């Protein structure tokens, strides 16, 4: 590459990498040239991004990053799977507990005791009727425990049957009234299974059981904005006294029915984003026997 | 004839029991029935029954609350209950009588015969008081467990039992004072009854009081405070050592 200049400097832009020899000649206007006055050897290095080790480094780093991303992702997937697994396991456990609390041994054996009475008393029809109802109720309990959600109509059938059996056993010591929105029942609305019965059981066995006079139980299903409302009311002795009595009679007594419901709903919320609100209050605050009102609000399922 | 009283909140249950007693235990004359504890209190005070058939879960006041209120408990009790694991445990601990609903005829007859036998001994008061104490303080090592033996029921504070050995369906109980008694209960019964009292099963036919363990020999032998030696089965050695270590840390 030859360049002529009259000045004292010369510039070569963008010399590709390689080994060079820089020679200086002097020349005159006629084109004659002196022998080289001076010769300088120099090398232009390849730029660092053009070297083999750089390629290797880039290759290695990108491989490492790829590996990192993949393993992070795998770990995240594993973690969600584990979490899901844990929730499912917890749910299964709670479902079992819910079933166990529904098939409350006290209820079961007392029911069988009542059947024994009808048999010995030769009330064949009563015995038959009670036994058939009891069998059906057990079947409904088992069936509903298999599914996380059941049609509202099925749950109501279960509740009515349960109350009927308890009424026979308690010899009509309480009256019951239903207020049920038929349209809602007909519309195949799904609700979480095993939800209402523990609260009804509490109303009867803890609220009304200890009441001296005839008690009263009300069960209502209504539609509110975007939600189904279930209200269970009793004019029993109230939560405070019921707890007192329980603790007095047997120290280690635990009624976990409603506690299990609450835990199940929490897990259900994690699984399905369905948030169910349960509110408990006195029906007649300040009275000697304030009763209990439970309000359960279930947003409609898609 | 023995005088009996039935207390149950369900009239149906009273009638059922009355019927069954009439048919299968005609030597029991039911002199009164009560469907709440207030009536029961007066009835028992007036009639001085030999045997009381008592439901546990009743409105407002349980059967146990009723017993607590009564000044005299000099009658045999046969508890009649639907299901009450906790109460049954205490009742069995005191070797008292009970039947569960639905009532089995054989169980009822057995409980009644037992009660009849004990009525003549005139010491029901002790066992009944004992039950109330146990319900109040479960797990207290001074609680006396009722051990059925040939001549009746022996009441023994659990802390005085050193260890038990199952022998042909019966149980030999070694006591602190060096003597031993034989009970017709099998070892499994004692394992269940003593589970709240720091007892451990190191071997399928041995039950030891943890408080009476003197030392443990490496070859799997426990030496008790009365110098008798109890084997630890191979499979339970690790669990046993862990338990001992835990206890030491706890104390």
């Amino acid at each position: 590459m030859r360049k002529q200049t009259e000045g004292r400097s010369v510039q070569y832009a963008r010399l590709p990498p390689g080994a060079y020899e820089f020679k200086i000649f002097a020349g005159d206007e006629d084109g004659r040239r002196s022998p080289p006055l001076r010769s300088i050897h120099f090398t232009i290095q390849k730029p660092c991004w053009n070297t083999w080790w750089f390629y290797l480094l880039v290759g290695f780093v990108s491989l490492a990053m790829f590996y990192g991303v993949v393993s992070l992702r795998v770990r995240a997937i594993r973690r969600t799977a584990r979490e899901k697994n844990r929730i499912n396991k917890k749910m299964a456990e709670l479902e079992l507990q819910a079933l166990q609390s529904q098939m409350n041994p006290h209820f079961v054996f007392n029911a069988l005791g009542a059947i024994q009475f009808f048999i010995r008393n030769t009330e064949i029809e009563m015995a038959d009727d009670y036994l058939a109802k009891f069998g059906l109720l057990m079947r409904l309990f088992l069936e509903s425990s298999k599914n996380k959600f059941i049609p509202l109509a099925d749950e109501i059938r279960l509740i009515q049957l349960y109350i009927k059996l308890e009424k026979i056993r308690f010899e009509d010591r309480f009256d019951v009234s239903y207020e049920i929105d038929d349209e809602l029942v007909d519309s195949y609305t799904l609700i979480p299974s095993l939800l209402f019965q523990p609260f009804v059981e509490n109303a009867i066995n803890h609220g009304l059981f200890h009441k001296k006079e005839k008690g009263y139980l009300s069960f209502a299903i209504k539609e509110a904005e975007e939600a189904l409302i279930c209200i269970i009311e009793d004019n029993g002795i109230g939560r405070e006294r019921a707890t007192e009595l329980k603790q007095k009679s047997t120290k280690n007594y635990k009624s976990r029915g409603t506690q299990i419901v609450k835990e199940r709903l929490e897990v259900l919320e994690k699984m399905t984003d369905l948030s169910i609100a349960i509110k408990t209050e006195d029906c007649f605050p300040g009275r000697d026997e304030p009763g209990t009102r439970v309000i359960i609000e279930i947003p409609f399922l898609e | 004839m023995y005088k009996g009283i039935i207390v149950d909140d369900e009239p149906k249950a009273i009638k059922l029991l009355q019927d069954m007693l009439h048919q299968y235990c005609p030597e029991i004359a039911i002199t009164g029935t009560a469907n709440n504890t207030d009536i029961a209190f007066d009835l028992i005070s007036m009639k001085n029954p030999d045997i009381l058939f008592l439901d546990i879960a009743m409105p407002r006041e349980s059967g146990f609350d009723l017993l607590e209120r009564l000044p005299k408990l000099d009658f045999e009790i046969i508890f009649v209950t639907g299901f009450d694991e906790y109460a049954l445990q205490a009742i069995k601990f005191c070797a008292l009588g009970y039947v569960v609903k639905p009532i089995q005829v054989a169980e009822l007859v057995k409980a009644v015969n037992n009660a009849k036998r004990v009525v003549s001994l005139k010491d029901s008061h002790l066992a009944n008081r004992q039950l109330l104490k146990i319900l109040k303080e479960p797990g207290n090592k001074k609680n006396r467990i009722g051990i059925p033996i040939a001549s009746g029921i022996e009441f023994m504070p659990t802390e005085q039992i050193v260890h038990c050995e199952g022998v042909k369906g019966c149980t030999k109980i070694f006591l602190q004072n060096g003597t031993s008694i034989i009970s017709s209960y099998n070892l499994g019964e004692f394992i269940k009854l003593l589970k709240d009292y720091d007892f451990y099963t190191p071997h399928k036919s041995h039950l030891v009081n943890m408080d009476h363990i003197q030392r443990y020999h490496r070859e799997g032998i426990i030496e008790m405070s009365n110098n008798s030696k109890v084997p630890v089965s191979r499979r339970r050695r690790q669990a046993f050592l862990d338990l001992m270590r835990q206890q030491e840390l706890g104390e």
Side-chain angles (χ1 to χ4, degrees), chain A residues 116 120-121 210 251, chain B residues 12 15 23 60 103 136:
Chain A
Q116 188 180 31
R120 285 207 74 90
N121 220 24
H210 297 292
K251 278 218 167 93
Chain B
K12 277 205 280 290
K15 182 145 193 313
Q23 187 172 350
R60 293 177 296 283
I103 299 167
K136 266 196 216 136

Side-chain angles (χ1 to χ4, degrees), chain A residues 108-205:
Chain A
V108 171
F109 293 119
N110 276 313
L112 291 173
I115 295 171
Q116 188 180 31
F117 165 80
F118 293 131
I119 294 172
R120 285 207 74 90
N121 220 24
T122 57
E123 294 179 52
I124 305 294
E125 263 158 45
M126 276 302 278
D128 195 73
D129 182 52
Y130 201 104
L131 187 62
K133 283 196 172 104
F134 181 73
L136 179 59
L137 184 63
M138 289 295 116
R139 195 180 306 279
L140 290 177
F141 279 162
L142 279 171
E143 272 171 16
S144 65
S145 73
K146 271 190 233 147
N147 303 307
K148 287 187 182 51
F149 296 94
I150 59 165
L152 175 64
D154 288 5
E155 178 79 358
I156 287 175
R157 190 160 153 238
L158 186 153
I159 291 292
Q160 288 178 328
L161 198 55
Y162 174 73
I163 293 176
K164 230 180 252 169
L165 285 178
E166 288 289 56
K167 261 188 76 124
I168 299 178
R169 186 160 76 83
F170 280 94
E171 319 224 331
D172 290 313
R173 271 183 37 210
F174 64 91
D175 278 328
V176 57
S177 74
Y178 297 99
E179 186 191 330
I180 291 164
D181 184 337
D182 288 329
E183 219 171 286
L184 210 55
V185 176
D186 292 337
S187 65
Y188 198 75
T189 313
L190 285 178
I191 59 161
S193 56
L194 314 171
L195 180 56
F196 301 150
Q197 189 269 347
F199 295 100
V200 174
E201 181 178 326
N202 267 358
I204 296 174
N205 283 302

Side-chain angles (χ1 to χ4, degrees), chain B:
Chain B
M1 282 301 253
Y2 295 87
K3 285 184 288 177
I5 284 180
I6 302 175
V7 180
D8 196 312
D9 63 305
E10 289 179 36
K12 277 205 280 290
I14 292 179
K15 182 145 193 313
L16 173 68
L17 188 57
Q18 219 168 351
D19 265 19
M20 290 181 91
L21 287 170
H22 181 73
Q23 187 172 350
Y24 302 107
C25 310
E27 67 282 12
I28 307 290
I30 296 301
T31 51
T33 65
N35 67 354
N36 72 54
T37 52
D38 289 331
I39 300 176
F41 184 89
D42 297 344
L43 197 63
I44 292 166
S45 312
M46 285 186 304
K47 302 265 179 178
N48 288 322
D50 298 311
I51 303 174
L52 173 67
F53 295 88
L54 182 62
D55 184 17
I56 298 171
M58 286 185 283
R60 293 177 296 283
E61 210 181 31
S62 74
F64 296 137
D65 297 334
L66 171 67
L67 294 179
E68 195 84 57
R69 276 205 291 148
L70 285 165
K72 278 197 303 182
L73 296 177
D74 51 353
F75 43 79
E76 276 302 302
I77 306 171
I78 295 176
F79 290 95
V80 185
T81 177
F83 181 86
D84 202 332
E85 238 172 334
Y86 174 71
L88 277 184
Q89 177 78 10
I91 291 166
K92 282 186 204 163
F93 193 89
C94 298
L96 292 175
Y98 67 91
V99 286
V100 292
K101 295 176 194 170
I103 299 167
Q104 272 180 278
V105 173
E107 294 281 310
L108 180 66
V109 172
K110 201 173 112 195
V112 168
N113 284 341
N114 237 333
K116 279 186 335 204
R117 190 165 57 86
V118 191
V119 162
S120 56
L121 299 176
K122 300 273 178 210
D123 64 354
S124 347
H125 191 79
L126 183 71
N128 295 344
R129 283 272 167 242
Q130 188 59 37
L131 173 71
L132 296 177
K133 212 177 131 213
I134 282 154
L135 287 166
K136 266 196 216 136
E137 295 180 55
N140 184 334
K141 288 171 187 169
K142 296 222 168 2
N143 282 348
R144 287 158 181 266
I145 177 173
I147 303 170
I149 53 173
S151 59
I153 292 165
E154 178 110 17
F155 283 92
M156 187 60 59
T158 65
E159 60 185 4
Q160 285 185 21
I161 297 173
V162 179
H163 67 112
C164 308
E165 186 181 351
V167 187
K168 293 184 196 134
C170 295
T171 304
K172 194 168 180 190
I173 297 151
F174 298 84
L175 304 171
Q176 205 171 17
N177 61 13
T179 60
S180 67
I181 48 180
I182 294 195
S183 163
S184 57
Y185 275 5
N186 63 33
L187 189 69
E189 287 293 334
F190 283 103
I191 292 174
K192 273 188 263 169
L193 292 177
L194 291 168
K195 77 178 192 322
D196 295 333
Y197 295 86
D198 281 337
F199 276 72
Y200 183 74
T201 321
H203 184 279
K204 67 179 188 325
S205 47
H206 288 277
L207 180 68
V208 298
N209 188 340
M210 295 294 280
D211 296 338
H212 278 286
I213 291 176
Q214 201 101 79
R215 64 177 65 81
Y216 174 69
H217 294 283
R218 205 178 283 277
E219 61 271 28
I221 303 282
I222 306 171
E223 204 177 308
M224 305 302 297
S225 61
N226 62 356
N227 297 327
S228 53
K229 296 185 169 62
V230 176
V232 183
S233 69
R234 199 168 291 280
R235 267 179 297 151
R236 292 186 197 168
R237 278 181 204 171
Q238 195 51 50
F240 174 71
L241 286 175
D242 291 346
L243 188 68
M244 290 293 285
R245 215 160 285 145
Q246 236 174 45
Q247 277 221 331
E248 266 165 43
L249 289 178
E251 276 160 15

Side-chain angles (χ1 to χ4, degrees), chain A residues 207-219:
Chain A
L208 299 172
F209 180 67
H210 297 292
K211 195 178 171 66
K212 262 197 176 129
E213 308 82 45
K214 193 164 185 171
Y216 133 93
L217 173 73
S218 141
F219 182 85

